Amino acid sequence: MKIKNNPSLIIGIIITGLILLMAIVGLFWTPYSTTQMDISLKFAPPSFAHIFGCDNFGRDIFSRVMQGAGTTFLVSLSTIAFGMVTGTIIGFLAGYSGGWLDEVIMRANDVINAFPSLLLALVFVSFLGSGLLNIILALGILFIPSFARIARSEMLRLKGMQFVQSAVLIGDSRGRIIFSQILPNAYISILSSAAVGFNNAVIAEAGLSYLGLGVQPPDASLGRMINEAGSFLMQAPWYAIFPGVAIIVLVLGVALISDGVSKID
């Protein structure tokens, strides 16, 4: 299927691209300081000067959403990259080798999957401590089993095919067979799963930040902003609405990309 005949992919790229553009711009420039407080603007409603209004410290919410979107995007993307690369390698090795190695790897996956993911993330973060790197590591470990299962499934599907058997007969190494023969024919399934996983990572990061174990003040993340807004829903509903809408739009955009990628021939 051509991209121009794939509206889900096109719309998803546009939506996600707009959020990503806002996040990238937020790394270098925001309309107002994201940390400077102005008590005279406490709970200022949306206006031409502050289109998303201000928070309980008089900080511009739009500026903090720009910065928070970047933080959430960075954490989620890094998490999925770590989980996808590590899980894919492990899954390919398990599926290709079979035997006891396959059994050990898949049973380890079952152990990790037996626990609720957010609960396990809380355990990891409690041991590792808060901070961006520790959050990425904790969440990345949780995504390894799902990618390992997908990669193993693709390996089992493909390794019996003629082109793979031909590579074995001419003496290609295991690594060459995996990365030159298997991976090019399995990447669609892996990328589609990565898009779904990205959304799960966004929600997981938001959940950890909401619980106060993610990004720490004064840095902003979308989940942290919703956590901070929880006590002021009646006074300043815009404080929670705009970060929440940003999360919803980001998740929607990536979900459409996932749907579009799955339709690519």
PDB file of all heavy atoms in Angstrom, residues 53-71:
ATOM      1  N   GLY A  53      -3.251  29.884  30.032  1.00  0.00           N
ATOM      2  CA  GLY A  53      -3.384  30.336  31.406  1.00  0.00           C
ATOM      3  C   GLY A  53      -2.104  30.134  32.199  1.00  0.00           C
ATOM      4  O   GLY A  53      -1.047  29.826  31.644  1.00  0.00           O
ATOM      5  N   CYS A  54      -2.192  30.314  33.512  1.00  0.00           N
ATOM      6  CA  CYS A  54      -1.034  30.188  34.400  1.00  0.00           C
ATOM      7  C   CYS A  54      -1.366  29.227  35.543  1.00  0.00           C
ATOM      8  O   CYS A  54      -2.533  28.977  35.851  1.00  0.00           O
ATOM      9  CB  CYS A  54      -0.629  31.558  34.958  1.00  0.00           C
ATOM     10  SG  CYS A  54      -0.053  32.718  33.694  1.00  0.00           S
ATOM     11  N   ASP A  55      -0.316  28.717  36.185  1.00  0.00           N
ATOM     12  CA  ASP A  55      -0.514  27.725  37.241  1.00  0.00           C
ATOM     13  C   ASP A  55      -0.514  28.374  38.622  1.00  0.00           C
ATOM     14  O   ASP A  55      -0.611  29.597  38.741  1.00  0.00           O
ATOM     15  CB  ASP A  55       0.545  26.618  37.133  1.00  0.00           C
ATOM     16  CG  ASP A  55       1.965  27.146  37.352  1.00  0.00           C
ATOM     17  OD1 ASP A  55       2.124  28.290  37.819  1.00  0.00           O
ATOM     18  OD2 ASP A  55       2.917  26.397  37.054  1.00  0.00           O
ATOM     19  N   ASN A  56      -0.399  27.559  39.653  1.00  0.00           N
ATOM     20  CA  ASN A  56      -0.480  28.066  41.028  1.00  0.00           C
ATOM     21  C   ASN A  56       0.732  28.896  41.440  1.00  0.00           C
ATOM     22  O   ASN A  56       0.710  29.559  42.476  1.00  0.00           O
ATOM     23  CB  ASN A  56      -0.652  26.906  42.008  1.00  0.00           C
ATOM     24  CG  ASN A  56       0.434  25.859  41.873  1.00  0.00           C
ATOM     25  OD1 ASN A  56       0.781  25.453  40.764  1.00  0.00           O
ATOM     26  ND2 ASN A  56       0.960  25.402  42.985  1.00  0.00           N
ATOM     27  N   PHE A  57       1.783  28.883  40.626  1.00  0.00           N
ATOM     28  CA  PHE A  57       2.946  29.726  40.887  1.00  0.00           C
ATOM     29  C   PHE A  57       3.046  30.885  39.898  1.00  0.00           C
ATOM     30  O   PHE A  57       4.050  31.594  39.880  1.00  0.00           O
ATOM     31  CB  PHE A  57       4.234  28.899  40.832  1.00  0.00           C
ATOM     32  CG  PHE A  57       4.360  27.886  41.933  1.00  0.00           C
ATOM     33  CD1 PHE A  57       4.285  26.528  41.660  1.00  0.00           C
ATOM     34  CD2 PHE A  57       4.542  28.290  43.245  1.00  0.00           C
ATOM     35  CE1 PHE A  57       4.406  25.596  42.666  1.00  0.00           C
ATOM     36  CE2 PHE A  57       4.659  27.364  44.274  1.00  0.00           C
ATOM     37  CZ  PHE A  57       4.586  26.012  43.987  1.00  0.00           C
ATOM     38  N   GLY A  58       2.030  31.057  39.076  1.00  0.00           N
ATOM     39  CA  GLY A  58       2.051  32.117  38.090  1.00  0.00           C
ATOM     40  C   GLY A  58       2.927  31.820  36.890  1.00  0.00           C
ATOM     41  O   GLY A  58       3.268  32.734  36.122  1.00  0.00           O
ATOM     42  N   ARG A  59       3.268  30.552  36.668  1.00  0.00           N
ATOM     43  CA  ARG A  59       4.087  30.168  35.512  1.00  0.00           C
ATOM     44  C   ARG A  59       3.187  29.933  34.303  1.00  0.00           C
ATOM     45  O   ARG A  59       2.068  29.430  34.438  1.00  0.00           O
ATOM     46  CB  ARG A  59       4.907  28.912  35.823  1.00  0.00           C
ATOM     47  CG  ARG A  59       5.888  29.090  36.961  1.00  0.00           C
ATOM     48  CD  ARG A  59       6.532  27.785  37.378  1.00  0.00           C
ATOM     49  NE  ARG A  59       5.551  26.818  37.872  1.00  0.00           N
ATOM     50  CZ  ARG A  59       5.869  25.674  38.464  1.00  0.00           C
ATOM     51  NH1 ARG A  59       7.142  25.361  38.656  1.00  0.00           N
ATOM     52  NH2 ARG A  59       4.928  24.845  38.876  1.00  0.00           N
ATOM     53  N   ASP A  60       3.696  30.251  33.136  1.00  0.00           N
ATOM     54  CA  ASP A  60       2.927  30.108  31.906  1.00  0.00           C
ATOM     55  C   ASP A  60       2.761  28.629  31.561  1.00  0.00           C
ATOM     56  O   ASP A  60       3.753  27.910  31.354  1.00  0.00           O
ATOM     57  CB  ASP A  60       3.636  30.840  30.769  1.00  0.00           C
ATOM     58  CG  ASP A  60       2.869  30.745  29.454  1.00  0.00           C
ATOM     59  OD1 ASP A  60       1.750  31.280  29.384  1.00  0.00           O
ATOM     60  OD2 ASP A  60       3.404  30.130  28.517  1.00  0.00           O
ATOM     61  N   ILE A  61       1.515  28.165  31.477  1.00  0.00           N
ATOM     62  CA  ILE A  61       1.249  26.742  31.252  1.00  0.00           C
ATOM     63  C   ILE A  61       1.635  26.321  29.833  1.00  0.00           C
ATOM     64  O   ILE A  61       2.169  25.223  29.626  1.00  0.00           O
ATOM     65  CB  ILE A  61      -0.229  26.418  31.542  1.00  0.00           C
ATOM     66  CG1 ILE A  61      -0.507  26.578  33.041  1.00  0.00           C
ATOM     67  CG2 ILE A  61      -0.579  24.992  31.088  1.00  0.00           C
ATOM     68  CD1 ILE A  61      -1.952  26.373  33.424  1.00  0.00           C
ATOM     69  N   PHE A  62       1.423  27.174  28.840  1.00  0.00           N
ATOM     70  CA  PHE A  62       1.797  26.819  27.473  1.00  0.00           C
ATOM     71  C   PHE A  62       3.298  26.564  27.372  1.00  0.00           C
ATOM     72  O   PHE A  62       3.731  25.590  26.737  1.00  0.00           O
ATOM     73  CB  PHE A  62       1.386  27.918  26.500  1.00  0.00           C
ATOM     74  CG  PHE A  62       1.761  27.636  25.067  1.00  0.00           C
ATOM     75  CD1 PHE A  62       1.181  26.589  24.378  1.00  0.00           C
ATOM     76  CD2 PHE A  62       2.702  28.413  24.410  1.00  0.00           C
ATOM     77  CE1 PHE A  62       1.523  26.308  23.068  1.00  0.00           C
ATOM     78  CE2 PHE A  62       3.058  28.146  23.100  1.00  0.00           C
ATOM     79  CZ  PHE A  62       2.463  27.094  22.420  1.00  0.00           C
ATOM     80  N   SER A  63       4.097  27.406  27.994  1.00  0.00           N
ATOM     81  CA  SER A  63       5.552  27.216  27.976  1.00  0.00           C
ATOM     82  C   SER A  63       5.934  25.903  28.650  1.00  0.00           C
ATOM     83  O   SER A  63       6.803  25.165  28.170  1.00  0.00           O
ATOM     84  CB  SER A  63       6.246  28.386  28.688  1.00  0.00           C
ATOM     85  OG  SER A  63       5.999  29.602  28.028  1.00  0.00           O
ATOM     86  N   ARG A  64       5.251  25.587  29.743  1.00  0.00           N
ATOM     87  CA  ARG A  64       5.566  24.346  30.457  1.00  0.00           C
ATOM     88  C   ARG A  64       5.062  23.120  29.706  1.00  0.00           C
ATOM     89  O   ARG A  64       5.670  22.053  29.779  1.00  0.00           O
ATOM     90  CB  ARG A  64       4.994  24.401  31.876  1.00  0.00           C
ATOM     91  CG  ARG A  64       5.758  25.386  32.762  1.00  0.00           C
ATOM     92  CD  ARG A  64       5.231  25.425  34.188  1.00  0.00           C
ATOM     93  NE  ARG A  64       5.378  24.150  34.888  1.00  0.00           N
ATOM     94  CZ  ARG A  64       6.516  23.725  35.426  1.00  0.00           C
ATOM     95  NH1 ARG A  64       7.627  24.446  35.315  1.00  0.00           N
ATOM     96  NH2 ARG A  64       6.554  22.573  36.077  1.00  0.00           N
ATOM     97  N   VAL A  65       3.962  23.256  28.963  1.00  0.00           N
ATOM     98  CA  VAL A  65       3.503  22.154  28.120  1.00  0.00           C
ATOM     99  C   VAL A  65       4.517  21.903  27.003  1.00  0.00           C
ATOM    100  O   VAL A  65       4.806  20.751  26.657  1.00  0.00           O
ATOM    101  CB  VAL A  65       2.109  22.449  27.535  1.00  0.00           C
ATOM    102  CG1 VAL A  65       1.778  21.487  26.398  1.00  0.00           C
ATOM    103  CG2 VAL A  65       1.045  22.335  28.625  1.00  0.00           C
ATOM    104  N   MET A  66       5.071  22.972  26.429  1.00  0.00           N
ATOM    105  CA  MET A  66       6.108  22.806  25.402  1.00  0.00           C
ATOM    106  C   MET A  66       7.298  22.036  25.953  1.00  0.00           C
ATOM    107  O   MET A  66       7.775  21.073  25.337  1.00  0.00           O
ATOM    108  CB  MET A  66       6.567  24.179  24.886  1.00  0.00           C
ATOM    109  CG  MET A  66       5.545  24.921  24.049  1.00  0.00           C
ATOM    110  SD  MET A  66       6.129  26.558  23.526  1.00  0.00           S
ATOM    111  CE  MET A  66       7.450  26.112  22.390  1.00  0.00           C
ATOM    112  N   GLN A  67       7.763  22.444  27.134  1.00  0.00           N
ATOM    113  CA  GLN A  67       8.898  21.752  27.749  1.00  0.00           C
ATOM    114  C   GLN A  67       8.513  20.347  28.194  1.00  0.00           C
ATOM    115  O   GLN A  67       9.264  19.386  28.000  1.00  0.00           O
ATOM    116  CB  GLN A  67       9.416  22.547  28.947  1.00  0.00           C
ATOM    117  CG  GLN A  67      10.671  21.949  29.560  1.00  0.00           C
ATOM    118  CD  GLN A  67      11.068  22.653  30.848  1.00  0.00           C
ATOM    119  OE1 GLN A  67      10.476  22.441  31.903  1.00  0.00           O
ATOM    120  NE2 GLN A  67      12.082  23.510  30.761  1.00  0.00           N
ATOM    121  N   GLY A  68       7.323  20.222  28.773  1.00  0.00           N
ATOM    122  CA  GLY A  68       6.873  18.922  29.267  1.00  0.00           C
ATOM    123  C   GLY A  68       6.671  17.916  28.154  1.00  0.00           C
ATOM    124  O   GLY A  68       6.964  16.728  28.314  1.00  0.00           O
ATOM    125  N   ALA A  69       6.179  18.369  26.997  1.00  0.00           N
ATOM    126  CA  ALA A  69       6.007  17.477  25.854  1.00  0.00           C
ATOM    127  C   ALA A  69       7.353  16.938  25.398  1.00  0.00           C
ATOM    128  O   ALA A  69       7.483  15.763  25.033  1.00  0.00           O
ATOM    129  CB  ALA A  69       5.307  18.218  24.713  1.00  0.00           C
ATOM    130  N   GLY A  70       8.373  17.807  25.427  1.00  0.00           N
ATOM    131  CA  GLY A  70       9.712  17.358  25.049  1.00  0.00           C
ATOM    132  C   GLY A  70      10.244  16.314  26.006  1.00  0.00           C
ATOM    133  O   GLY A  70      10.836  15.312  25.582  1.00  0.00           O
ATOM    134  N   THR A  71      10.034  16.543  27.297  1.00  0.00           N
ATOM    135  CA  THR A  71      10.501  15.582  28.296  1.00  0.00           C
ATOM    136  C   THR A  71       9.792  14.240  28.143  1.00  0.00           C
ATOM    137  O   THR A  71      10.426  13.179  28.132  1.00  0.00           O
ATOM    138  CB  THR A  71      10.253  16.128  29.713  1.00  0.00           C
ATOM    139  OG1 THR A  71      10.928  17.380  29.864  1.00  0.00           O
ATOM    140  CG2 THR A  71      10.756  15.155  30.766  1.00  0.00           C
TER     141      THR A  71
END
